[in-house]
Amino acid sequence: MALVPCQVLRAAILLSYCSILCNYKAIDMPAHQTYGGSWKFLTFIDLVIQAVFFGICVLTDLSSLLTRGNDSQEQERQLRKLISLRDWMMAVLAFPVGVFVVTMFWSIYIYDRELVYPKLLDNFIPAWLNHGMHTTVLPFVLIEMRTTHHQYPSRSCGLAAVCTFAVGYILWVCWIHHVTGVWVYPLLEHLSPGVKIIFFAAVTIVINVFYLVGEVLNNYIWDTQK
């Protein structure tokens, strides 16, 4: 028997994301007042994705509890739809985007933090909030994968959805630069146009690789248990 029921874990994780988002939005940073606001940062988009995903998880748990012992076929159908949405979000957004944000942020941060998280931000963002945005995402999503079996979509559909998200965000970053003349991430200021194209292509490939890693890990965990 688990020490803490998975339903309680998911509710606690959801509350932690709500707290992180509220504290982040309460920070009066100049970047929040410029074009695109918080939505130009992948970290913030990922936090919203994770909060929505765990919100759906909690809603699924509640719906499952309420429909238990109920013979209503309509309620069962709605529950299956909710579970399908939960599994799709886990496969296409929560795992690959979450793992990408954590690995990319800390890899660049260790190399040269000024390229992704200038020291100036320490005056606005406390260390605990930084880790809440860039560290705990990984263990939270791994806990969810370990406690719940998620049905992945077909590989072609999953990869197409991940590519759509990645290309969409890259185009959004390029549009912001077109409007403001400033790149969202200082790293991009140091790259030539040709290198930028290679970098964006590499980013798209990496996030697709993380999708495949999630699919393999999910199958390994649950096939082993079977």
Side-chain angles (χ1 to χ4, degrees):
M1 181 180 294
L3 294 177
V4 180
C6 58
Q7 294 87 348
V8 175
L9 280 174
R10 283 192 280 268
I13 291 172
L14 174 61
L15 289 175
S16 72
Y17 276 123
C18 291
S19 175
I20 291 168
L21 281 167
C22 289
N23 279 277
Y24 178 76
K25 292 298 290 182
I27 296 172
D28 185 21
M29 285 199 306
H32 290 175
Q33 314 305 322
T34 57
Y35 184 82
S38 303
W39 292 99
K40 59 179 170 284
F41 301 113
L42 186 58
T43 292
F44 178 77
I45 294 173
D46 178 52
L47 287 176
V48 173
I49 288 172
Q50 302 297 332
V52 171
F53 168 67
F54 279 99
I56 292 173
C57 288
V58 171
L59 183 59
T60 302
D61 290 337
L62 291 174
S63 299
S64 179
L65 182 64
L66 292 175
T67 57
R68 186 175 299 170
N70 194 324
D71 295 331
S72 172
Q73 292 185 351
E74 177 61 23
Q75 288 184 350
E76 286 291 337
R77 189 171 64 85
Q78 295 300 328
L79 178 59
R80 285 196 296 271
K81 284 185 177 181
L82 202 55
I83 291 173
S84 296
L85 176 61
R86 179 200 66 186
D87 291 350
W88 185 89
M89 278 204 70
M90 175 65 171
V92 172
L93 294 174
F95 187 89
V97 178
V99 175
F100 177 84
V101 166
V102 173
T103 54
M104 286 295 290
F105 175 83
W106 287 112
S107 297
I108 300 174
Y109 185 97
I110 291 170
Y111 174 73
D112 183 358
R113 67 170 294 178
E114 294 299 319
L115 297 176
V116 67
Y117 192 82
K119 196 171 181 61
L120 175 66
L121 292 178
D122 291 342
N123 298 324
F124 299 95
I125 302 176
W128 72 266
L129 186 55
N130 180 27
H131 285 292
M133 296 188 297
H134 298 115
T135 305
T136 57
V137 173
L138 181 57
F140 284 168
V141 79
L142 289 176
I143 288 171
E144 171 60 22
M145 181 170 282
R146 177 63 182 82
T147 57
T148 305
H149 180 213
H150 297 274
Q151 188 69 40
Y152 268 60
S154 68
R155 183 166 293 180
S156 58
C157 290
L159 290 175
V162 172
C163 281
T164 300
F165 175 85
V167 172
Y169 180 70
I170 289 170
L171 292 176
W172 171 231
V173 168
C174 292
W175 174 254
I176 292 172
H177 177 261
H178 172 74
V179 172
T180 65
V182 178
W183 288 104
V184 173
Y185 302 102
L187 168 66
L188 298 173
E189 300 282 358
H190 303 278
L191 304 180
S192 66
V195 176
K196 281 189 182 74
I197 293 174
I198 296 173
F199 176 77
F200 289 144
V203 162
T204 304
I205 292 171
V206 168
I207 199 168
N208 276 273
V209 169
F210 285 139
Y211 171 86
L212 295 175
V213 169
E215 182 183 45
V216 171
L217 185 59
N218 180 73
N219 292 337
Y220 172 78
I221 290 172
W222 294 99
D223 286 348
T224 299
Q225 287 196 357
K226 288 179 182 177

